[in-house]
Amino acid sequence: MTDVTVRPSALDRARVLRWLQDYGVYAGVAVLFLVNVAITPHFVSAENFRTQAVQVAPVIIVALGMALVIGTEGIDLSVGSVMALAASVTALYLGYGPVPALLMVALFAAAVGLANGALVAFVGVQPIVATLALMVAGRGVALVLLPQLEDIRNPALVSLGSGDLAGVPYLILVAAALALLVAFVVRRTTFGRQLLAIGDNRTAAQLAGLPVRRVLMVVYTACALLAAVAGVLATARLQASDPTSLGTLMELSAITAVVVGGTPLSGGRVRIAGTVAGAVLIQLLTATLIKHDLPPSWTQIAQAVVIVLAVYAARGGGRR
C-alpha cells in the first residue's frame, strides 16, 4: 500500500524536475522579463534592449564553447584568462593591422586550448585541474604582455564593437552566427555525435573505436578560440584592453548559462538554445539587481543559487 501511494508522488516529482530542466530556463527568462516590465523604470525601450543584448553577446559566445566541453563531461576554467590574453595580444599586435593582430590572438588561444586538451586527453589530468592551471598561467601571461590598461584607437576594431548592420549590433550578429554554427556541428555532424558519445561514456566510445583524444583536443581548442572571440569583441566594445579585469568570473557566468540551459554536468548532451537562454537569464538577473541598486556581490550569490537549483533539477529529473 505504501508503494502504491509513494510511487506516483515520486513520478510526479520527477516529471516536474524534468520539465524544469528542459523548459525552466525559458520560463525564468519570461518571468524576469515580465517582472522588469512591471517594476523597472524605462526597461521597455529600444536602447535598453540593445544594451542588454550587447552585454550578453560575449557571455553567449564563451558559453557556447563551455557547452561543448561540458558535453564531453569536462569543464574549462581558463576561458576568462583566455579573454584577457586575447585583449593583451590584440593591443600588442594591433599596430601591424587588425588582421595580423586577430591571427596572433587565434594562435595564442589555440595554444591554450591545445594545452588544455593535451593535459586532459593524453596526460589524463582531470579537466578542472588542467584548466585551473591554464587559468592562472593565462592571466599571468596576459599581464606580462600588457601590464596595464591600454586604449584601443583602431577604427576598424572599434567599429566592430560599436557598429551595426541594419540597426543590429555586430556583436549580436556574431553571437547569433556562432550559436547557429555550434548548433549545426552538435546536431548534424559526425563530430557532434562523437562528442556526445564521449560525454555519455568515454570508455565505451574508446572501445567503439571513436577518436576520443582527437575530439577532446578539438573541443578544448574550440572553447579557447570562442573565448578569444569574446575577448576581442569585449575589447572592441570597451575601446580599451584591460587584462587585469577583463574576463574575471566569466567562467562562472558561462557554466551557469550552460547548466541552467539544460546541459548536464555529467556530459552526453548539449543544449545550444538552452545555453543562449541561460546567458540571457543571467544577464537579466544581473541587470535587475543593478537597476535596483543592489551591490554586485548579490549577483554572484544569485548565480550560485541558480546553479544549485539547476543541478538539483538535472539530478532529480535524471533519476529512474
Side-chain angles (χ1 to χ4, degrees), residues 58 61-63 65-66 76 78-90 101-113 157 160 174 178 220-236 246-247 250:
I61 294 170
V62 176
M66 187 69 73
D76 190 346
S78 67
V79 290
S81 295
V82 173
M83 288 183 66
L85 185 60
S88 293
V89 174
T90 299
L102 294 179
L103 290 176
M104 291 303 299
V105 168
L107 182 62
F108 274 82
V112 174
L157 190 62
L160 181 63
V174 172
L178 289 174
Y220 281 93
T221 302
C223 183
L225 288 172
L226 287 168
V229 171
V232 171
L233 292 176
T235 299
L246 185 65
M250 178 58 77

Side-chain angles (χ1 to χ4, degrees), residues 4-211:
V4 174
T5 57
V6 172
R7 188 172 297 174
S9 176
L11 289 175
D12 291 341
R13 177 171 167 272
R15 290 193 189 98
V16 171
L17 291 173
R18 174 62 67 184
W19 186 92
L20 287 174
Q21 184 185 7
D22 291 340
Y23 305 107
V25 63
Y26 307 110
V29 170
V31 169
L32 263 180
F33 181 85
L34 293 175
V35 167
N36 276 284
V37 169
I39 68 174
T40 303
H42 312 297
F43 179 78
V44 182
S45 68
E47 184 61 30
N48 178 61
F49 291 157
R50 179 189 175 97
T51 299
Q52 300 303 323
V54 166
Q55 289 179 346
V56 79
V59 181
I60 290 175
I61 294 170
V62 176
L64 292 173
M66 187 69 73
L68 296 178
V69 172
I70 291 178
T72 65
E73 200 181 4
I75 203 79
D76 190 346
L77 300 180
S78 67
V79 290
S81 295
V82 173
M83 288 183 66
L85 185 60
S88 293
V89 174
T90 299
L92 194 63
Y93 289 94
L94 196 55
Y96 298 99
V99 174
L102 294 179
L103 290 176
M104 291 303 299
V105 168
L107 182 62
F108 274 82
V112 174
L114 289 171
N116 282 332
L119 288 172
V120 173
F122 290 94
V123 182
V125 179
Q126 288 290 329
I128 192 171
V129 177
T131 58
L132 177 63
L134 269 296
M135 178 182 76
V136 177
R139 182 76 64 174
V141 172
L143 292 172
V144 168
L145 294 175
L146 191 70
Q148 58 189 7
L149 183 145
E150 182 171 324
D151 291 337
I152 299 296
R153 303 185 184 278
N154 184 277
L157 190 62
V158 170
S159 67
L160 181 63
S162 59
D164 60 69
L165 179 64
V168 182
Y170 290 136
L171 273 73
I172 300 174
L173 294 175
V174 172
L178 289 174
L180 291 174
L181 176 62
V182 173
F184 175 80
V185 169
V186 171
R187 290 178 173 271
R188 301 295 182 184
T189 67
T190 300
F191 176 82
R193 289 189 288 272
Q194 291 173 342
L195 182 157
L196 298 179
I198 291 169
D200 189 51
N201 191 320
R202 186 181 299 187
T203 302
Q206 289 175 328
L207 294 175
L210 298 183

Side-chain angles (χ1 to χ4, degrees), residues 58-60 62-64 66-67 70 75-81 83 131 135 139 223 246-261 265 275 278-279 281-283 285-286 296-308 310-311:
V59 181
I60 290 175
V62 176
L64 292 173
M66 187 69 73
I70 291 178
I75 203 79
D76 190 346
L77 300 180
S78 67
V79 290
S81 295
M83 288 183 66
T131 58
M135 178 182 76
R139 182 76 64 174
C223 183
L246 185 65
T248 302
L249 295 180
M250 178 58 77
E251 57 278 353
L252 172 62
S253 297
I255 293 170
T256 304
V258 174
V259 174
V260 171
L265 290 171
T275 296
L281 177 66
I282 298 305
Q283 176 61 35
L285 182 61
T286 302
S297 55
W298 281 95
T299 300
Q300 299 172 23
I301 295 172
Q303 288 189 28
V305 172
V306 169
I307 289 176
V308 171
V311 172

